[in-house]
Amino acid sequence: MQQVNNEKTAPPFDLSTTSLHADSNFEKYLGDVAPVMHFSTTYKYGNSDGLVYSRDDQMTRRRVEQVLGCLEGGYCLTYSSGLSSVNAIIQHIKPTKIYIKLKEGYFGCHDVIYKYRETIQSYLPKDSPYAVEIIDLSELNKIDVSSVSSVVVVGDNNNNEKNDLTQKQQQTLVESHELMFKAKNLSLEETIKYVPKYRTLIWLETPNNPTCVLTDIEHYSKIAQVIGAYVAVDSTFATPVLQKPLALGADFVMHSCTKFLGGHSDLLAGAIICKDSEAWRYLREERTITGDDLGNLESWLLLRSLRSLEVRVTQQAKNAVELAKWFESQINNQETNCHITKVMHPSLENSTTREQYELWKKQMGGRGPAILSIELDTIENALKVVKYLKCFVFATSLGSVESLVDYRYYCDKNCSPTLLRLSIGLESVNDLIEDWKQALKQL
């Protein structure tokens, strides 16, 4: 999709070509084949690129946002971390109702949401109608969506629709955005179009961390149309290589770019891709005010990594599917001393539900993710086996070119204490299997 600050729509290339050429219209006056790394924080007034100060805009950041926006089919903003981008979505919508899987998914996203509620509740009177409710996602399954034939997937479709709030509620919302619009001298009517239409947010994380459970994005997008809500999807585990949330009806896609998008364990970054250009403009202005933008070096590192995104993730996903099948074959298998008791990956038709397997084929095209989790027979063995591995680094995080293994119970007490999460890299899958064989045999 066209980036708001770009001159032309990126050509309709396939994914890998988009990764390499979506930003080809930038800096054409330079002869460099590789993107130039810009470090300047300030610029001469009246320069041809329209740059003033790097907190507001910077050329390398423009390029990486153009590429990632085109990969997802929306309008991209980058942030200093994944959780910064989560917080930006929450602060933009200012929801009074948030639907999320309460005891599943990445604990960091939950922390941001609970901190938001804590902050709001601290200055609201008791029984205020603006109190924040955090509700389990399963409550939405009671809603009938049979009347919704398809989801709205085209951006910029509701900029001029009447906001479905009362005049008093609209005024309250505008006051809450006063920092942004005070200097603009906009009337209430003019400002309303910048204020989020709904106060309800459906937060989806799919595939789920660390169990790789999938959530039906299209289904919940239909529910959002019925109840009047925004849908935000944490697509970190999938990347645009394996899943396209905006095409399934989501309003926002969030990535921890530290993971697969960065892919080399050397940058910290986050991103939001918006379906709507008005939301993009608002978020961009707010990011300038909060100073939560991506640094110059990190922008360049992320752009470098996106060039190889499809080939990396495709191979990592293939490795993960093969490794998951092998682990499944080792459940109660004497070959590895019967230490594997459970494998979690949506590609395993015999180890997951029919609903999950079919959703994997429909939503992810029967590919990936490049993450899987296993459970061992005892806590002692879960902590011991990692010491014998040679190709897996015992560390947190995921998505990098090297394989990682993480004991999630250290940081997330909702996880089973016998669970290990594996992030699969670009090593030979045969070597990875042999590595686990020798490690399990030593228990």
Side-chain angles (χ1 to χ4, degrees):
M1 184 173 286
Q2 181 178 353
Q3 194 66 9
V4 176
N5 59 6
N6 192 15
E7 298 175 358
K8 294 173 65 178
T9 301
F13 293 139
D14 288 339
L15 208 66
S16 278
T17 313
T18 298
S19 296
L20 289 161
H21 295 291
D23 59 331
S24 59
N25 287 324
F26 292 85
E27 301 183 291
K28 297 179 81 170
Y29 48 83
L30 298 176
D32 302 70
V33 174
V36 175
M37 189 184 301
H38 296 278
F39 286 108
S40 183
T41 57
T42 190
Y43 306 90
K44 290 181 180 179
Y45 287 120
N47 65 80
S48 61
D49 290 322
L51 297 170
V52 177
Y53 192 61
S54 65
R55 174 163 49 81
D56 178 62
D57 200 2
Q58 193 258 1
M59 186 55 69
T60 313
R61 195 184 310 138
R62 279 188 188 180
R63 295 183 71 150
V64 75
E65 290 176 351
Q66 172 72 5
V67 172
L68 189 47
C70 288
L71 289 174
E72 284 285 10
Y75 305 95
C76 177
L77 290 162
T78 51
Y79 291 82
S80 58
S81 71
L83 289 183
S84 294
S85 57
V86 175
N87 187 58
I89 293 173
I90 300 293
Q91 295 299 331
H92 167 59
I93 297 173
K94 293 180 173 58
T96 56
K97 285 186 179 181
I98 303 174
Y99 290 91
I100 187 172
K101 290 185 177 180
L102 290 179
K103 293 188 177 181
E104 299 179 45
Y106 178 45
F107 68 89
C109 293
H110 289 254
D111 288 347
V112 170
I113 289 170
Y114 280 104
K115 178 58 69 175
Y116 162 74
R117 183 175 69 174
E118 178 186 323
T119 302
I120 296 297
Q121 307 294 75
S122 68
Y123 60 79
L124 285 178
K126 190 176 180 181
D127 300 324
S128 167
Y130 296 104
V132 178
E133 296 180 77
I134 302 174
I135 308 164
D136 192 78
L137 190 66
S138 62
E139 290 296 310
L140 292 175
N141 294 332
K142 303 171 184 176
I143 296 171
D144 181 15
V145 295
S146 59
S147 61
V148 183
S149 58
S150 62
V151 294
V152 176
V153 297
V154 180
D156 300 328
N157 61 320
N158 63 351
N159 296 343
N160 299 315
E161 289 183 18
K162 183 178 181 296
N163 195 299
D164 58 354
L165 303 174
T166 67
Q167 187 80 359
K168 183 177 180 181
Q169 288 173 321
Q170 289 176 352
Q171 183 66 56
T172 302
L173 278 173
V174 171
E175 288 171 358
S176 73
H177 290 71
E178 184 177 8
L179 181 63
M180 178 68 67
F181 299 107
K182 187 175 181 181
K184 296 181 181 291
N185 296 317
L186 298 179
S187 67
L188 173 64
E189 189 175 74
E190 292 170 324
T191 304
I192 284 300
K193 70 176 183 177
Y194 289 100
V195 177
K197 182 180 179 184
Y198 303 124
R199 303 302 306 277
T200 299
L201 173 63
I202 300 174
W203 185 271
L204 308 179
E205 180 181 320
T206 183
N208 209 58
N209 185 1
T211 59
C212 294
V213 170
L214 306 182
T215 303
D216 192 332
I217 298 169
E218 186 175 17
H219 173 71
Y220 285 100
S221 296
K222 289 180 178 180
I223 289 176
Q225 287 180 219
V226 172
I227 67 173
Y230 290 105
V231 176
V233 178
D234 181 346
S235 194
T236 297
F237 272 30
T239 80
V241 176
L242 304 177
Q243 178 174 276
K244 295 291 187 69
L246 295 184
L248 295 171
D251 299 287
F252 303 94
V253 184
M254 169 264 164
H255 289 284
S256 172
C257 303
T258 310
K259 312 306 192 294
F260 287 103
L261 299 187
H264 293 80
S265 300
D266 59 4
L267 69 93
L268 192 68
I272 299 170
I273 301 88
C274 309
K275 178 171 66 176
D276 191 315
S277 63
E278 289 297 339
W280 179 89
R281 287 189 177 92
Y282 172 83
L283 284 162
R284 187 178 183 278
E285 290 196 48
E286 185 174 60
R287 185 186 65 179
T288 299
I289 291 172
T290 62
D292 209 7
D293 45 278
L294 191 60
N296 298 351
L297 175 60
E298 290 79 9
S299 296
W300 186 88
L301 288 170
L302 181 56
L303 182 59
R304 166 218 61 183
S305 296
L306 290 179
R307 304 305 199 201
S308 62
L309 179 65
E310 185 175 27
V311 291
R312 284 190 289 106
V313 172
T314 299
Q315 186 59 49
Q316 288 173 283
K318 287 180 180 178
N319 285 352
V321 170
E322 287 301 310
L323 194 58
K325 289 177 181 177
W326 179 79
F327 274 119
E328 185 181 44
S329 73
Q330 298 307 302
I331 296 175
N332 299 320
N333 192 325
Q334 292 292 342
E335 180 188 13
T336 50
N337 300 325
C338 301
H339 292 303
I340 302 298
T341 62
K342 187 176 182 180
V343 187
M344 286 157 274
H345 195 270
S347 67
L348 301 176
E349 188 172 5
N350 296 324
S351 296
T352 189
T353 65
R354 169 56 58 179
E355 181 183 23
Q356 281 286 298
Y357 184 71
E358 293 300 325
L359 182 58
W360 174 67
K361 291 194 293 184
K362 182 186 81 167
Q363 187 164 285
M364 300 186 70
R367 300 177 299 157
I371 304 291
L372 62 100
S373 288
I374 59 174
E375 287 192 30
L376 279 79
D377 50 352
T378 67
I379 297 173
E380 180 185 5
N381 282 335
L383 290 169
K384 194 175 179 181
V385 71
V386 297
K387 299 176 182 178
Y388 301 131
L389 292 167
K390 300 174 183 177
C391 296
F392 283 78
V393 180
F394 185 35
T396 194
S397 200
L398 55 97
S400 54
V401 291
E402 65 277 342
S403 292
L404 303 174
V405 57
D406 188 13
Y407 183 67
R408 292 303 292 165
Y409 192 73
Y410 277 154
C411 57
D412 187 353
K413 301 307 179 187
N414 285 322
C415 289
S416 165
T418 63
L419 181 145
L420 294 175
R421 186 189 68 192
L422 281 60
S423 173
I424 310 306
L426 291 175
E427 301 91 344
S428 161
V429 70
N430 294 327
D431 290 334
L432 297 180
I433 290 172
E434 290 301 319
D435 193 27
W436 274 95
K437 277 184 183 179
Q438 64 84 23
L440 289 166
K441 288 178 179 178
Q442 294 188 61
L443 297 178

